[in-house]
Amino acid sequence: MALLEVMNLKKIYTTRFGGNHVQALTNVNFSVENGEYVAIMGESGSGKTTLLNILAALDKPTSGEVRLNGRNMATIKDKDISAFRRDNLGFVFQDFNLLDTFNIQDNIFLPLVLSGKSYAEMSARITPIAAKLGITDILNKYPYEISGGQKQRAAVARALITHPQLILADEPTGALDSKATEQLLHLFTSINDDGQTILMVTHSIKAASHAKRVLFIKDGEVFHQLYRGNSTSDEMYQKISDTLTLLTTGGKSYE
């Protein structure tokens, strides 16, 4: 059984005034196996953000199902959804979402504090993660005292510390310079090599070229997908670029 199953997903929004219907997702179907690293790409308005919000249990589909490890996320009660999200999903955002009044260590600890973990357990968890991410020396600093790249690595640590089944990354390189972007992408590859499943939404061809599979969303549906296979990042970059050109010029998907 796949870790994540997305089946016949449809999402229709009704505008507040006038009652107009906007179909954000038409019929999305895909699955993600345990240990995969998948990127999702598409033009603005293609439905990527809506899809991510549903996968993050921040929104519910109009119809269809999302199953995480066989559990239909739409059946989780509202009072339980925050705990489910905290225990099963890790999030990495474009703008880091760190609290300036907390130092880096406390920012990373936050989901564990909310889960009621002991300080001893939190300390035991953070040590190897901080070492792997190269942030041990900034744990006592505050977000306004460190660089964008360091902030994003702290955000990745916060996502990893709960031992999530799935990491959802939303434009994780969007606020980073080229050097920090390269470091983060190598970090994601390393984390995935350790067995962590990652699903990343991105506009960046460079970011997507590091994934093992790329899904392209167009008009609320999966338009095409590419598998890395034995391709290098440069070869994957070219394949993604060619597919995006096809997508934006109105071509049909490859067979």
Side-chain angles (χ1 to χ4, degrees):
M1 181 180 67
L3 174 65
L4 178 71
E5 297 173 281
V6 178
M7 298 170 284
N8 306 314
L9 206 64
K10 180 186 289 187
K11 181 65 180 181
I12 299 173
Y13 292 103
T14 303
T15 56
R16 185 174 298 179
F17 302 107
N20 294 323
H21 297 294
V22 177
Q23 188 149 331
L25 297 175
T26 305
N27 184 33
V28 176
N29 292 275
F30 67 92
S31 61
V32 177
E33 299 294 328
N34 195 37
E36 271 202 285
Y37 180 2
V38 178
I40 296 178
M41 301 193 78
E43 296 178 277
S44 296
S46 62
K48 299 190 308 300
T49 300
T50 299
L51 175 60
L52 188 69
N53 286 339
I54 292 173
L55 298 181
L58 296 169
D59 198 358
K60 292 188 177 182
T62 303
S63 62
E65 290 185 11
V66 175
R67 291 182 176 272
L68 185 65
N69 236 349
R71 185 175 185 183
N72 185 349
M73 289 165 60
T75 64
I76 302 169
K77 294 178 181 178
D78 289 344
K79 66 182 179 67
D80 299 327
I81 200 71
S82 292
F84 173 84
R85 197 182 296 125
R86 191 169 59 239
D87 293 343
N88 295 281
L89 303 171
F91 299 94
V92 181
F93 303 96
Q94 177 176 333
D95 56 0
F96 322 126
N97 282 18
L98 299 174
L99 300 174
D100 276 338
T101 52
F102 284 18
N103 66 20
I104 297 305
Q105 177 170 279
D106 287 343
N107 266 285
I108 296 168
F109 280 166
L110 188 57
L112 297 184
V113 171
L114 295 172
S115 296
K117 302 297 184 186
S118 68
Y119 184 79
E121 181 173 349
M122 292 191 291
S123 295
R125 287 197 191 189
I126 199 172
T127 301
I129 291 173
K132 181 175 182 62
L133 272 58
I135 57 171
T136 303
D137 60 339
I138 63 166
L139 290 177
N140 291 319
K141 293 189 175 182
Y142 286 81
Y144 53 82
E145 298 179 302
I146 63 176
S147 70
Q150 290 172 319
K151 288 178 185 178
Q152 196 58 296
R153 277 181 274 154
V156 172
R158 182 184 56 198
L160 287 172
I161 202 164
T162 60
H163 300 158
Q165 295 190 59
L166 177 66
I167 283 185
L168 297 172
D170 185 11
E171 299 286 359
T173 62
L176 303 180
D177 61 28
S178 58
K179 181 180 178 182
T181 291
E182 195 68 38
Q183 290 173 339
L184 182 71
L185 293 175
H186 283 298
L187 185 60
F188 268 27
T189 298
S190 177
I191 292 167
N192 175 247
D193 287 344
D194 288 342
Q196 177 65 58
T197 311
I198 302 172
L199 184 70
M200 172 176 63
V201 170
T202 184
H203 280 100
S204 166
I205 299 175
K206 183 176 183 61
S209 68
H210 283 69
K212 292 179 179 175
R213 178 161 58 112
V214 183
L215 295 172
F216 298 87
I217 304 291
K218 181 179 181 180
D219 300 330
E221 296 186 75
V222 176
F223 171 80
H224 182 53
Q225 61 180 336
L226 289 173
Y227 287 86
R228 168 184 283 281
N230 295 320
S231 300
T232 64
S233 291
D234 287 343
E235 290 168 341
M236 195 67 171
Y237 186 103
Q238 189 58 53
K239 289 179 183 178
I240 294 168
S241 181
D242 291 344
T243 303
L244 286 174
T245 299
L246 184 74
L247 190 149
T248 55
T249 55
K252 294 183 179 180
S253 64
Y254 301 109
E255 294 299 328

